[in-house]
Structures are given as C-alpha cells and as structure tokens.
C-alpha cells in the first residue's frame, strides 16, 4: 500500500492494525474487517475513503471496513488498584455496539434509529443513513447488515 504514492506512505506512518477478519456476505461475497487500535481510529478516519478504495482494488472487489478495537467491561467488573470508580459509559455493551455500527457505516452518517419489536419477541434495529450518500452506500447495505450481525449477533435493517 505504501508504494502506491509517497503522500499515502506518510499518512500510513505510525498506524497499526490489530486484526483482520474475513466474513461471508450474501450471494457468496466476502467482506474484510480490519480492526485498528481505538486511539488511532480518528487518524484512520482521515484517510479512510482513499485507503478503503485502494484495499478494495487490491482484494478484487471485496468490501473493506475499518473498525476500532473496543473493550466491553461487565457490570460487575473488578477494577484494579490504580483505577477506581464506576465502569465508564464507553465500555458498556450497548455503547460498544452503537460505536461498531457507526464504524461500519463511517463515511455515511446515521440520521435515525428505530427498534422494531415483532410479535414473536425478536427485535430488529432499523437504521436510517444519510440520503445524500445513498448512491455510494447502496451496494454495501447487505455487507453492513451481515458484518454487524457477525460482530454483535443483532439484526439490523
């Protein structure tokens, strides 16, 4: 990647990848999820459109997503001697799942969310994305759905 352009090499300097995972999407397609350190996520967002475009070319049309590696703490998590106090809101299950959803959809903003409760007791999260980015995101909607379900085991529509 760094060889493609010299300014791109400067942008990638000091950025790390924690893990990568390949997920099956409908229609026999695959998506690649790249996990990056949470502290570097903002730096990745600066170059994400260009980086994702280059990686999708390199991996022959597979969708590529960059997601921050976050920690979930249990409500009863024991804290070390150095760290006291209640569990931070950013470490709760709900907050981490919401942040993962935002990372999956990143260049597009989420403008609304609704939870749909069905008669059989199941829940579906309905997410409304920014309509101005609809042309760019339309082809990736199934990928967003399957990746989010693979990471959180929650359905999204």
């Amino acid at each position: 990647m760094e060889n493609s352009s010299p300014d791109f090499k400067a942008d990638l300097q000091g950025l790390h990848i924690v893990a990568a995972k390949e997920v099956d999407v409908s229609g026999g397609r695959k998506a690649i999820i790249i996990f990056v350190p949470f502290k570097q996520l903002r730096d990745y967002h600066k170059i994400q459109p260009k980086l994702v475009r280059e990686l999708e070319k390199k991996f022959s049309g597979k969708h590529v997503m960059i997601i921050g590696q976050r920690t979930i703490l249990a409500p009863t998590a024991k804290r070390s001697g150095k760290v006291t106090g209640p569990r931070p809101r950013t470490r709760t299950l709900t907050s981490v799942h919401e942040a993962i959803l935002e990372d999956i959809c990143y260049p597009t903003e989420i403008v609304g969310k609704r939870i749909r409760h069905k008669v059989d007791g199941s829940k579906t999260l309905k997410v409304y994305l920014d309509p101005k980015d609809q042309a760019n995101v339309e082809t990736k909607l199934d990928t967003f759905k399957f990746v989010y379900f693979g990471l959180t085991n929650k359905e999204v529509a």
Side-chain angles (χ1 to χ4, degrees):
M1 288 297 305
E2 294 176 349
N3 296 336
S4 62
S5 70
D7 59 332
F8 204 50
K9 183 175 184 174
D11 291 338
L12 291 174
Q13 195 76 28
L15 296 179
H16 304 288
I17 293 175
V18 175
K21 186 177 180 181
E22 194 171 53
V23 178
D24 290 327
V25 183
S26 67
R29 295 192 57 153
K30 293 188 181 280
I32 297 172
I33 307 169
I34 299 173
F35 293 97
V36 299
F38 174 71
K39 290 186 176 187
Q40 293 181 350
L41 187 61
R42 188 168 280 145
D43 297 331
Y44 271 99
H45 281 335
K46 292 176 187 172
I47 61 167
Q48 184 166 348
K50 188 169 34 168
L51 180 63
V52 167
R53 194 169 37 251
E54 291 291 325
L55 288 172
E56 284 178 351
K57 273 193 248 176
K58 190 174 205 97
F59 291 117
S60 67
K62 293 180 184 175
H63 291 150
V64 176
M65 291 172 200
I66 297 174
I67 297 177
Q69 183 71 40
R70 291 180 171 82
T71 304
I72 298 173
L73 293 177
T76 59
K78 299 289 182 201
R79 307 282 290 205
S80 67
K82 294 181 285 185
V83 181
T84 59
R87 164 179 70 153
R89 170 83 172 101
T90 58
R91 304 289 199 287
T92 62
L93 179 79
T94 305
S95 176
V96 170
H97 284 187
E98 287 176 3
I100 287 173
L101 184 61
E102 288 178 14
D103 286 350
I104 288 172
C105 303
Y106 169 63
T108 305
E109 287 187 36
I110 297 173
V111 294
K113 290 184 211 171
R114 305 285 185 270
I115 298 177
R116 184 171 177 209
H117 298 272
K118 296 183 181 174
V119 178
D120 64 353
S122 63
K123 297 179 187 177
T124 301
L125 180 66
K126 197 163 178 70
V127 178
Y128 299 97
L129 300 176
D130 198 357
K132 67 180 180 186
D133 295 330
Q134 186 174 2
N136 302 335
V137 178
E138 194 72 36
T139 59
K140 294 185 176 185
L141 291 178
D142 277 345
T143 305
F144 291 170
K145 183 171 128 178
F146 281 95
V147 167
Y148 187 72
F149 184 78
L151 294 175
T152 63
N153 209 23
K154 290 183 180 177
E155 286 191 27
V156 69

